Amino acid sequence: MVVYAGQGDPRRSIELLWRASVAEQRPGPKPGLSVDSIVDAGIAVADEQGMAFSMRAVGERLGRTAMALYTYVPGKNELIDLMYDRAMAELPTSYPVADGWRPAVTRWAEDMWEFYGRHPWVLQVSQARPVLGPHEFAVVESLAAILVTTGLPGRRLRGIVGAVNHFVRGAAQSVAEARAAGSATGEGDEEWWYARSAVLMEVEPELAEKFPVLHLLESDRDPVDPELPYLENDAVENFRSGLEVLLDGIEGAVAKP
Amino acid sequence: MVVYAGQGDPRRSIELLWRASVAEQRPGPKPGLSVDSIVDAGIAVADEQGMAFSMRAVGERLGRTAMALYTYVPGKNELIDLMYDRAMAELPTSYPVADGWRPAVTRWAEDMWEFYGRHPWVLQVSQARPVLGPHEFAVVESLAAILVTTGLPGRRLRGIVGAVNHFVRGAAQSVAEARAAGSATGEGDEEWWYARSAVLMEVEPELAEKFPVLHLLESDRDPVDPELPYLENDAVENFRSGLEVLLDGIEGAVAKP
DNA sequence: CGAGGTTACTTTACGCTGTAAGGAGTCGCA
DNA sequence: TGCGACTCCTTACAGCGTAAAGTAACCTCG
C-alpha cells in the first residue's frame, strides 16, 4: 500500500488546532513532549518518507514509542490534520495589491506551487476538505483578500477562489506524483517517462491513431529550458498557461457585469 | 486509517489495461474468475465501502479467498488502476460541437461531476497521474477534441485541458469528502456543517474578525434551491460559477492572439 | 488410457499497521 | 506521607497486503 489521507474527528481536530493551550501547573511527571514537537516530527518524517509514515516512526524520531504520542494526540488522523495546518504556517498571510490583483494572485499561486513541492504529502491529505485550521484559513483568506479588490460580489468570488485553489492544487499534484513514481523506481524523470511511453507503444502501437487530438497536443512542444529537469518543463509550462487562462477569465468577470 | 490511493507498477498495469487477452486453450483447471469479474467486484465493493476496501472483501464477493485474486492481478495497486480505468468506461467518448465548444465543455464537466458523485473513491486514486488506461485516455481525448475546435495552438490547449480537468476534479472532491464526513457520523449535510461551525465558533469566537474577507464571502449567499440538500446547493453553485470563469478565460484566449 | 506438467485456488504464515489495555514510575498537593 | 493525576512503556489484538507451499483439477502427450 502506498498512501493515506487523514480526516480526523473534526471536533477533536478543531480543538487541537485552535487550542490556546494554557500551560498550567499540574501533578504528574513533566511532559517530555508537546503537541508541537510531535507535529514537527510528523512533518519531518512525512517530508522524508511520504505520507506512508507510521506512528512508530514519529515516536522513534522523538526517542519514544508510538504509544507515547497518544497522550498528546487522539490518533493518527488528527495528527495529520495538525501537520497539514502547521505546514501551511510557512506561507505568507498577505500579498500586496499595489500593482493590481493579477500579479498578486500569480504570486500566491506560485508560492502554493512551491509549497506543495516542498511538502508533497500535503497533497495526499484529504483535499478540498472544509477549512479546519487557522493557517489553512489564513492561506485562503490571503487569496480572498487579493480578489476582493476586484469589486466582484461574494457569490462570484467564492467560485473563483475555489477555482484557483483547485487548479493550483491539481497542477501541483501532476508533478508531485509523477516525480514520486519516478524516484520510487530510481529513475530520473526523463527515463521514467520514456519507459512508460515505450511500454504503451509496445502494447498499443496505434495509440496516435486512436487518440488523434491528444497526439496533436502532445506534439506541439515549446523549446525546452535546459535548466529544468524534463518533467518540470512540461508541468511548469502547463501550470503557467493554465493559470493565465484562469486569470483571463477573472479579468473578463471584472470587466463585464 | 481512512483512505488509500494506488499506483501500481506502471508496466504491469499498462499491460493489463491494454491487454488483448487471447483466450487460448491451456492445461489446468478452468479459470473460475477473470480479470474483468475481479475489477467489477472491486468497483462494487469500493462503491459501497469507499476506498478502504480490502482484497479479502473483493475475494469474498466472488466466493473466493483474497489470494485467489493474485492469480489474475499482480497486487492491490494494480487492481486499483484497473478499477479506475474501467469505471471511466461509463463516460461518453465524444461530444457534439455543433453549438460551439462552450456548451460541449460544460456538458463534459457536468458528466465528470456526476461520474465522481457515483464513484467517489475514484477521487482518492492517485490523481493527476499520468494517463495510463484506454478509457482515461478516451475521457481526456473527448475534452481535447472539443477544445481543438477553438483553433488554439497545442501548447495553449494542453494547459487549458489540464486546468479544466483539475478544476472539475477539485470541485467534485469538495463535495464528495464533505458528504463522506457527514455520512460517516450519520448526520445530514446541514447538521454536520452546523456542528462544525459551532465548534469553530466556540473555540475561536473572533473568527469573523480574524478572517474578515472570508466572512464577507461567506455571508453573500444565493437564495437556496429547496430541491437540493444543503451541501449540494453550495457546491453546485461554486462549481457552476467557477466553471463559467474558466470558460470565460478560454473565450478570451480564443478571441485575442 | 495413464502419466506428467500446468494451472486455479486454499491454507498458513509473516511483517506491518493503528491503537486498546494495563502497569510502572514521577510529580504536586493535602 | 500518601493520594491521585499524569507520562510513558510493554504487551496484545485485529486487520491489512501478500509470500510460500500444498491440493486438486485439467490438458497434452506417450
Side-chain angles (χ1 to χ4, degrees):
Chain A
M1 274 291 66
V2 194
V3 153
Y4 315 84
Q7 186 102 309
D9 172 14
R11 163 142 230 134
R12 300 297 310 269
S13 288
I14 289 176
E15 282 168 359
L16 277 165
L17 283 163
W18 298 83
R19 92 208 94 109
S21 105
V22 272
E24 11 155 9
Q25 259 325 41
R26 284 183 307 146
K30 293 264 157 61
L33 301 177
S34 65
V35 175
D36 285 329
S37 66
I38 291 175
V39 172
D40 285 344
I43 291 178
V45 173
D47 282 346
E48 286 169 17
Q49 322 191 337
M51 197 54 157
F53 74 96
S54 70
M55 294 297 270
R56 283 169 175 85
V58 177
E60 206 159 326
R61 172 171 281 255
L62 295 164
R64 302 290 138 90
T65 64
M67 288 313 291
L69 310 180
Y70 285 84
T71 311
Y72 302 87
V73 158
K76 191 187 184 184
N77 287 332
E78 287 80 4
L79 173 57
I80 292 177
D81 280 344
L82 292 174
M83 287 164 54
Y84 178 86
D85 196 71
R86 181 174 194 75
M88 292 215 165
E90 290 177 13
L91 290 160
T93 53
S94 81
Y95 289 83
V97 288
D99 301 342
W101 57 267
R102 189 156 179 151
V105 172
T106 305
R107 279 295 311 271
W108 184 93
E110 282 168 356
D111 282 350
M112 288 304 282
W113 173 271
E114 281 161 25
F115 169 76
Y116 288 134
R118 278 196 302 277
H119 304 295
W121 54 270
V122 166
L123 293 164
Q124 323 259 45
V125 176
S126 193
Q127 49 256 50
R129 5 144 27 224
V131 179
L132 279 183
H135 296 116
E136 193 182 4
F137 255 103
V139 166
V140 184
E141 168 90 10
S142 72
L143 174 60
I146 300 169
L147 286 166
V148 87
T149 64
T150 58
L152 286 168
R155 269 192 266 75
R156 211 107 171 72
L157 280 185
R158 256 180 294 135
I160 291 174
V161 168
V164 174
N165 224 339
H166 296 325
F167 167 72
V168 174
R169 184 168 184 135
Q173 234 154 10
S174 309
V175 215
E177 307 214 344
R179 185 158 33 194
S183 71
T185 54
E187 301 163 296
D189 294 334
E190 198 153 0
E191 301 97 74
W192 189 81
W193 280 93
Y194 182 75
R196 234 181 49 77
S197 55
V199 178
L200 219 53
M201 282 307 161
E202 184 187 314
V203 161
E204 181 56 77
E206 292 163 1
L207 200 70
E209 288 78 35
K210 288 208 172 175
F211 304 102
V213 185
L214 287 180
H215 183 67
L216 193 80
L217 296 207
E218 213 54 32
S219 55
D220 180 19
R221 308 218 80 89
D222 261 354
V224 164
D225 177 353
E227 290 271 320
L228 288 170
Y230 181 76
L231 173 70
E232 245 72 0
N233 263 300
D234 226 48
V236 168
E237 184 194 317
N238 285 350
F239 173 63
R240 294 249 166 81
S241 139
L243 185 60
E244 289 307 310
V245 172
L246 199 49
L247 295 177
D248 286 347
I250 302 174
E251 213 144 85
V254 176
K256 57 180 186 176
Chain B
M1 273 290 68
V2 193
V3 155
Y4 315 83
Q7 185 99 312
D9 173 14
R11 162 141 231 134
R12 300 297 310 269
S13 288
I14 289 176
E15 282 167 358
L16 278 165
L17 282 164
W18 297 82
R19 92 208 94 109
S21 107
V22 271
E24 8 155 11
Q25 262 318 47
R26 285 183 308 148
K30 292 263 158 59
L33 302 176
S34 66
V35 175
D36 286 329
S37 66
I38 291 174
V39 171
D40 285 344
I43 292 178
V45 173
D47 282 346
E48 286 168 19
Q49 322 191 341
M51 198 55 156
F53 74 96
S54 71
M55 294 297 271
R56 284 169 173 87
V58 177
E60 206 159 326
R61 173 171 282 254
L62 294 164
R64 302 292 137 91
T65 65
M67 289 310 292
L69 311 180
Y70 286 83
T71 311
Y72 302 88
V73 156
K76 190 187 184 183
N77 287 332
E78 287 79 5
L79 173 57
I80 292 177
D81 280 343
L82 293 173
M83 286 163 54
Y84 180 85
D85 195 73
R86 183 176 193 72
M88 292 214 164
E90 290 177 12
L91 290 160
T93 53
S94 82
Y95 288 82
V97 288
D99 301 342
W101 57 269
R102 188 155 180 151
V105 172
T106 305
R107 278 297 309 272
W108 183 92
E110 282 168 356
D111 282 351
M112 289 304 283
W113 174 271
E114 280 162 24
F115 170 76
Y116 288 133
R118 277 196 302 276
H119 303 295
W121 54 269
V122 167
L123 293 164
Q124 323 259 44
V125 175
S126 192
Q127 49 255 52
R129 2 134 42 213
V131 179
L132 280 183
H135 297 115
E136 193 182 4
F137 255 104
V139 166
V140 184
E141 167 90 11
S142 73
L143 173 59
I146 300 169
L147 285 166
V148 88
T149 64
T150 58
L152 287 168
R155 269 193 267 77
R156 210 109 173 72
L157 280 185
R158 256 180 294 135
I160 292 174
V161 168
V164 173
N165 224 339
H166 296 323
F167 167 72
V168 174
R169 184 168 183 135
Q173 236 156 9
S174 309
V175 215
E177 308 213 346
R179 186 158 32 194
S183 71
T185 53
E187 303 163 295
D189 294 334
E190 197 153 0
E191 300 97 73
W192 190 80
W193 280 94
Y194 181 74
R196 234 183 48 78
S197 56
V199 178
L200 219 54
M201 281 309 162
E202 183 186 315
V203 162
E204 181 55 79
E206 291 163 2
L207 200 69
E209 286 79 37
K210 289 208 171 175
F211 303 102
V213 185
L214 287 180
H215 183 68
L216 193 78
L217 296 208
E218 213 55 32
S219 54
D220 180 20
R221 308 215 81 87
D222 261 356
V224 164
D225 177 353
E227 290 272 320
L228 289 169
Y230 181 76
L231 173 71
E232 245 72 359
N233 262 299
D234 227 47
V236 168
E237 184 194 316
N238 285 350
F239 173 63
R240 294 248 166 82
S241 139
L243 185 60
E244 288 307 308
V245 171
L246 198 51
L247 295 177
D248 286 349
I250 302 175
E251 214 144 84
V254 176
K256 58 178 184 178

